[in-house]
Amino acid sequence: MADSSGTSPPPMTGVTLAITSIALALGTFMQVLDGSIANVSIPTIAGNLGVSSSQGTWVITSFAVANGVSVPLTGWLMGRYGVVKTFVASVVLFTIASFLCGIAWDLPSLVIFRIIQGAVSGPMIPGSQSLLIMIFPPQKRGTALAIWSMTTLVAPICGPILGGYISDNVAWEWIFLINVPVGILCAVICWRNTASRETPTRKIPVDGAGFMLLLVWVGALQVMLDTGKEADWFSSPAIVVECVIAAIGFVAWLIWELNEKNPIVDLSLFKSKNFLLPTIAFCLGYAIFFGSNLLLPLWLQTRMGFVATWAGLVAAPAGVVAVFLTPFVARVMGKIDMRLTASFSLAAFALSFYMRSLYTTDADYYALALPMLVQGAAMATFFVSMITLALNGVPPDQVPQASGLSNFCRLTAGSFAASMVTTIWDQDAAVHQTRLAEIIPATGAAFGAAVAQLQAMGISAQQATASVAQLAVNQAYLLATIDFFRVSAWLVLALVPLVWMVKRPQPSEHAVGAD
């Protein structure tokens, strides 16, 4: 329970402050890292577990959707049990779930453990931010937020590189098992040093029915999107049932939340266009960004012959640029119109996607990485700009609910996008492959000349035919990748008008952060 005297311990100083800050930063680092570390490891995980790469993406989508659904419950948990207890319990459960992921014996068990890992990780980021602010002196809270922000930016750099290196040189299981010693260290230090700073607790009602309905419709929709391709979509009775459950569950959830006195998600916030429009832009922009981060390493490893480490190194420059630019961006954020910075971030994303639509099958590392540098510039402004615009005009007592709702929508949109990306990619590639077969038939002169040329190099006719056919498949997937990024560029650019349809935010009206 909270200290009944109403007094709180003084801010930390010296070595204790440094050690506790590092431990809290590690908590944030683990959670953000696990959102990206598996991206480059999907082909390896899928291969070892004997499933397709598209099924392997369930490892990412299951974590993302569980994390998103858990966000609305975070505020209630912290109010009911205290920030310290909630954060430490979340770290402990996350560590246990990471261990279970590392010992998973097949894809279903791994997906189940990733769902648990995502569900229990909801309080880790807001909890670490709150505790960092709590332990620093008031005049140094800007430093605390800087530590927190830098951690959330460094983790996405390390995720693809670390995940790629571990997959290539150790074993994919260790991308989860490395969390175990880090989690134990974080939990022990944070409990020992912050237990006396527990926040006041109170018995507050929780919208259990609303939360269960949320789980039902989001879960049913996510399963439908994940399994639809393998089940041939609506020709499968299971997919039809999942669609019906998702639709009925969503409508029931809307009705319940709009009439509940203490809703788990305050949908009344959407009545204001100043919250609705930036949230739409935030969610759609993040969904495209999240989907592209999944597709790029998948294409590099399955069609371009990249190992996981190099696929991670292609993605890394985006995070490096974001870390470098963030301190400079922070200095000007309160001085200029946030609609300008939001528009800049969307335009930079669009440029990055367009540059990726110019990829070729013989692109070298520098050609592949250059668009990621541009994406880094977008990342440095995107999250803070969009959250600031969304919270502009929200009453102070509703800011936590609005922030939670915005992040729930963002994370859920990202998980849905990740499920849809591989389906869209494979279907578009199949269309291109059909067109290529029509242009260059297997009995055509060009095909025969290519086979003959390969046979002259010493391989059999059967091997030569298979090699030429594989080249056609790779070309089809390249064309599908180009299509995806070009459409993504136009979609992101189309979001710019939304940010100009809201009023200009007041400087520093809310202190916000983004994970």
Side-chain angles (χ1 to χ4, degrees), residues 91-182:
V91 171
V92 171
L93 292 172
F94 182 86
T95 304
I96 295 171
S98 297
F99 174 76
L100 293 174
C101 289
I103 63 171
W105 50 91
D106 56 17
L107 183 64
S109 63
L110 179 56
V111 169
I112 290 171
F113 297 145
R114 281 286 277 177
I115 291 173
I116 296 171
Q117 190 186 37
V120 301
S121 68
M124 289 176 67
I125 288 180
S128 65
Q129 185 183 36
S130 299
L131 290 175
L132 273 170
I133 293 173
M134 188 188 303
I135 66 176
F136 271 79
Q139 67 274 18
K140 293 186 177 180
R141 283 176 182 168
T143 304
L145 288 173
I147 292 173
W148 182 84
S149 297
M150 292 301 288
T151 304
T152 63
L153 288 173
V154 170
I157 302 174
C158 299
I161 299 174
L162 191 59
Y165 180 83
I166 291 173
S167 297
D168 288 338
N169 298 284
V170 189
W172 67 263
E173 290 87 349
W174 280 95
I175 67 176
F176 303 114
L177 293 177
I178 58 172
N179 287 333
V180 175
V182 176

Side-chain angles (χ1 to χ4, degrees), residues 76-422:
W76 177 83
L77 288 171
M78 290 183 172
R80 179 66 182 85
Y81 299 104
V83 173
V84 176
K85 289 188 181 71
T86 303
F87 173 76
V88 173
S90 179
V91 171
V92 171
L93 292 172
F94 182 86
T95 304
I96 295 171
S98 297
F99 174 76
L100 293 174
C101 289
I103 63 171
W105 50 91
D106 56 17
L107 183 64
S109 63
L110 179 56
V111 169
I112 290 171
F113 297 145
R114 281 286 277 177
I115 291 173
I116 296 171
Q117 190 186 37
V120 301
S121 68
M124 289 176 67
I125 288 180
S128 65
Q129 185 183 36
S130 299
L131 290 175
L132 273 170
I133 293 173
M134 188 188 303
I135 66 176
F136 271 79
Q139 67 274 18
K140 293 186 177 180
R141 283 176 182 168
T143 304
L145 288 173
I147 292 173
W148 182 84
S149 297
M150 292 301 288
T151 304
T152 63
L153 288 173
V154 170
I157 302 174
C158 299
I161 299 174
L162 191 59
Y165 180 83
I166 291 173
S167 297
D168 288 338
N169 298 284
V170 189
W172 67 263
E173 290 87 349
W174 280 95
I175 67 176
F176 303 114
L177 293 177
I178 58 172
N179 287 333
V180 175
V182 176
I184 292 172
L185 184 67
C186 174
V188 170
I189 292 175
C190 290
W191 179 250
R192 285 176 60 89
N193 293 351
T194 64
S196 61
R197 300 169 182 272
E198 185 60 277
T199 56
T201 59
R202 63 191 189 280
K203 291 186 177 181
I204 51 179
V206 60
D207 179 17
F211 184 68
M212 292 306 298
L213 287 170
L214 179 66
L215 286 178
V216 168
W217 79 260
V218 172
L221 183 56
Q222 186 67 55
V223 171
M224 185 189 81
L225 293 174
D226 279 341
T227 60
K229 183 172 64 175
E230 282 75 16
D232 196 20
W233 293 105
F234 293 102
S235 62
S236 166
I239 296 298
V240 173
V241 170
E242 288 159 6
C243 182
V244 171
I245 292 174
I248 294 175
F250 177 69
V251 173
W253 176 73
L254 278 180
I255 295 172
W256 179 271
E257 293 298 274
L258 290 172
N259 293 280
E260 170 65 20
K261 184 179 179 181
N262 298 292
I264 193 75
V265 175
D266 188 1
L267 297 176
S268 66
L269 290 162
F270 285 126
K271 293 178 181 178
S272 168
K273 75 170 186 177
N274 288 306
F275 179 77
L276 174 63
L277 296 180
T279 300
I280 291 174
F282 192 23
C283 293
L284 294 179
Y286 181 79
I288 297 169
F289 161 73
F290 195 81
S292 69
N293 282 355
L294 172 63
L295 181 62
L296 182 60
L298 191 61
W299 171 62
L300 291 175
Q301 291 179 78
T302 58
R303 301 298 165 186
M304 292 285 283
F306 277 54
V307 294
T309 303
W310 277 100
L313 288 171
V314 167
V320 174
V321 171
V323 169
F324 177 77
L325 290 180
T326 295
F328 300 99
V329 170
R331 293 180 184 178
V332 301
M333 274 295 191
K335 301 176 183 178
I336 60 176
D337 190 339
M338 280 290 182
R339 294 174 297 182
L340 286 172
T341 58
S343 299
F344 167 80
S345 65
L346 291 171
F349 271 130
L351 177 59
S352 174
F353 294 142
Y354 178 76
M355 293 170 68
R356 276 179 264 184
S357 74
L358 303 177
Y359 284 160
T360 62
T361 51
D362 60 351
D364 59 14
Y365 172 81
Y366 298 101
L368 293 168
L370 184 59
M372 305 307 293
L373 294 173
V374 179
Q375 179 171 294
M379 290 168 59
T381 57
F382 177 70
F383 292 95
V384 174
S385 297
M386 288 299 181
I387 294 177
T388 302
L389 287 175
L391 298 185
N392 178 41
V394 175
D397 60 320
Q398 289 187 296
V399 168
Q401 290 176 306
S403 180
L405 176 56
S406 176
N407 279 300
F408 158 70
C409 293
R410 172 179 65 87
L411 292 169
T412 306
S415 64
F416 289 164
S419 298
M420 296 168 63
V421 161
T422 53

Side-chain angles (χ1 to χ4, degrees), residues 37-48 51-61 114 167 172 175 294 297-298 301-302 308 422:
I37 194 171
N39 284 16
V40 298
S41 307
I42 291 302
T44 303
I45 294 173
N48 282 323
V51 297
S52 66
S53 292
S54 59
Q55 290 176 313
T57 60
W58 299 355
V59 175
I60 295 172
T61 59
R114 281 286 277 177
S167 297
W172 67 263
I175 67 176
L294 172 63
L298 191 61
Q301 291 179 78
T302 58
T422 53

